[in-house]
Amino acid sequence: MDTGTHIAMGVALGGFATLDPVVQQDPTLFTAVMVGTIIGSHSPDFDTVLKLRNNAVYIRHHRGITHSIPAVIFWGITISSIIYLFVPDVSFLHLWLWTFLAVILHVMVDVPNAYGTQAYRPFTKKWIAHGFISTFDPYIFSLHLIGIIAWILGASPGSTWIMIYFIIVLYYIKRYIDKREIVKIIHEHFEHVEQIATSPTTKQNIWRVAFTTDQHYFVGRVEDGHVEIDDKFHRLSVPENSLFELAMTDKNISAFLSFSPIYRWEINLFDDFSEIRFIDLRYRSDGHYPFVAVVQIDDNMRIMNSYTGWVFSEEKLQNKLNMDSNPI
């Protein structure tokens, strides 16, 4: 989920903590728990600092190890221990419990997104992206705002958040059922479907989809149960030659391939270099595919430039390639 929603969930969990008699009776502990749940609800996304290095590192690791099972345990213990240094008279057990729950909640609500996480590490490095809740869902965020406002106006935090999260759980179930119905519709209308990526929009009746069959890639949307195809591409395997083998060694290309499950490639030949592009098909926007990886290789088989990330025009892409020149 987005940062704002994660923080709002931290506030909500702090409200839930008032149902804990030990927290309810100790104002200092309540304050410590609220700090712990807010920080804990955002802590797995501290890897955002990787953007300061480069996009390849960020794409390969964001929502990776920081969302893993060992990291969840680490965040809970570390954050609660640091807070405990400032308020050593409170119950560490209760402080750790609520902080730990905030970290767990963060990872749990990231799993249904289309972006995905590596939440099952160290057992597998596979990206888990169920694609039935948006990274920013206005309904979920609005429900949290309603709860926070009600709490400020004097409503009981415990009962308020129980009611709101009951609604949110029902909403998650509804979106999951919607996603399953979309998968069923695609399988009914297309033969030999191998992989489907879904992404909900802010409109409940419209979903973005990208899927593969044994021969093609399809990109489109599902609206009111009807599949509308926007683009169709022939499915071509990545060539096994020295040019593509070199491209695969580039860190921007390898980062893209480690993350993207449905993509196509293309190659452009120029006078003194070749340009290979990998294009993620899940994020079509206004007829454009903004998430790409590009590598330029000269005639002497040397990598000139490469880039991976989000770009919304050819001009910006070329600027990025020039700025992020990254020969190996």
Side-chain angles (χ1 to χ4, degrees):
M1 303 294 286
D2 66 293
T3 299
T5 302
H6 280 308
I7 292 175
M9 287 183 168
V11 174
L13 201 56
F16 272 115
T18 61
L19 298 173
D20 181 343
V22 177
V23 175
Q24 189 180 59
Q25 296 169 13
D26 187 342
T28 303
L29 176 58
F30 168 73
T31 301
V33 166
M34 181 61 78
V35 172
T37 56
I38 291 175
I39 296 175
S41 69
H42 183 58
S43 58
D45 280 349
F46 287 166
D47 59 8
T48 302
V49 299
L50 294 174
K51 279 187 175 181
L52 297 176
R53 292 189 61 184
N54 55 62
N55 274 6
V57 173
Y58 175 73
I59 289 169
R60 183 179 289 277
H61 297 290
H62 179 53
R63 291 194 178 185
I65 194 169
T66 57
H67 287 61
S68 66
I69 295 172
V72 168
I73 297 172
F74 168 80
W75 290 124
I77 293 174
T78 301
I79 294 169
S80 54
S81 296
I82 292 173
I83 296 172
Y84 188 69
L85 290 175
F86 294 93
V87 283
D89 295 331
V90 304
S91 168
F92 179 79
L93 175 62
H94 290 263
L95 173 59
W96 166 78
L97 173 63
W98 288 103
T99 302
F100 184 50
L101 286 175
V103 181
I104 293 174
L105 181 63
H106 176 116
V107 176
M108 286 178 60
V109 299
D110 275 353
V111 169
N113 295 165
Y115 191 96
T117 74
Q118 290 181 317
Y120 300 155
R121 290 179 68 170
F123 303 108
T124 175
K125 290 186 177 181
K126 181 180 179 182
W127 286 90
I128 310 301
H130 292 304
F132 62 88
I133 295 291
S134 298
T135 301
F136 173 73
D137 189 298
Y139 302 98
I140 294 175
F141 185 71
S142 296
L143 283 169
H144 280 86
L145 284 184
I146 291 170
I148 291 171
I149 293 171
W151 188 2
I152 291 172
L153 294 177
S156 168
S159 57
T160 297
W161 290 115
I162 286 175
M163 179 176 63
I164 286 177
Y165 267 73
F166 178 73
I167 296 171
I168 289 175
V169 168
L170 292 179
Y171 178 71
Y172 267 75
I173 293 172
K174 173 192 178 298
R175 293 302 259 174
Y176 174 70
I177 293 172
D178 290 344
K179 185 255 175 79
R180 289 193 60 178
E181 184 63 25
I182 287 169
V183 171
K184 179 181 177 182
I185 290 170
I186 291 174
H187 277 287
E188 288 175 348
H189 289 79
F190 297 87
E191 296 182 347
H192 310 298
V193 175
E194 297 181 1
Q195 191 173 15
I196 302 173
T198 60
S199 181
T201 68
T202 55
K203 296 181 179 180
Q204 293 291 303
N205 63 327
I206 300 177
W207 293 61
R208 292 188 299 271
V209 295
F211 58 96
T212 64
T213 67
D214 57 342
Q215 298 291 327
H216 296 94
Y217 299 110
F218 293 91
V219 181
R221 62 179 185 166
V222 177
E223 183 172 352
D224 295 322
H226 301 287
V227 182
E228 299 180 8
I229 300 300
D230 295 311
D231 284 324
K232 176 181 177 181
F233 305 100
H234 285 288
R235 185 177 177 182
L236 303 174
S237 299
V238 175
E240 296 181 0
N241 58 42
S242 57
L243 189 66
F244 274 83
E245 288 175 1
L246 177 59
M248 297 297 190
T249 66
D250 177 78
K251 65 182 180 181
N252 283 300
I253 300 299
S254 62
F256 175 94
L257 296 177
S258 72
F259 170 75
S260 178
I262 300 180
Y263 63 87
R264 56 182 290 265
W265 62 269
E266 59 184 37
I267 183 170
N268 298 302
L269 304 177
F270 299 94
D271 291 340
D272 54 356
F273 71 94
S274 301
E275 182 181 271
I276 298 174
R277 298 190 181 195
F278 291 88
I279 304 160
D280 194 308
L281 300 179
R282 295 175 297 168
Y283 303 112
R284 187 179 188 274
S285 175
D286 296 326
H288 181 69
Y289 295 90
F291 186 57
V292 299
V294 182
V295 61
Q296 296 174 336
I297 302 174
D298 67 21
D299 291 343
N300 294 316
M301 294 296 288
R302 293 179 301 188
I303 294 177
M304 300 163 51
N305 306 306
S306 68
Y307 174 79
T308 186
W310 300 84
V311 287
F312 290 87
S313 72
E314 184 64 27
E315 180 182 1
K316 289 183 178 179
L317 174 58
Q318 295 306 320
N319 289 338
K320 291 287 187 181
L321 285 168
N322 291 331
M323 285 191 300
D324 297 331
S325 178
N326 211 5
I328 292 180

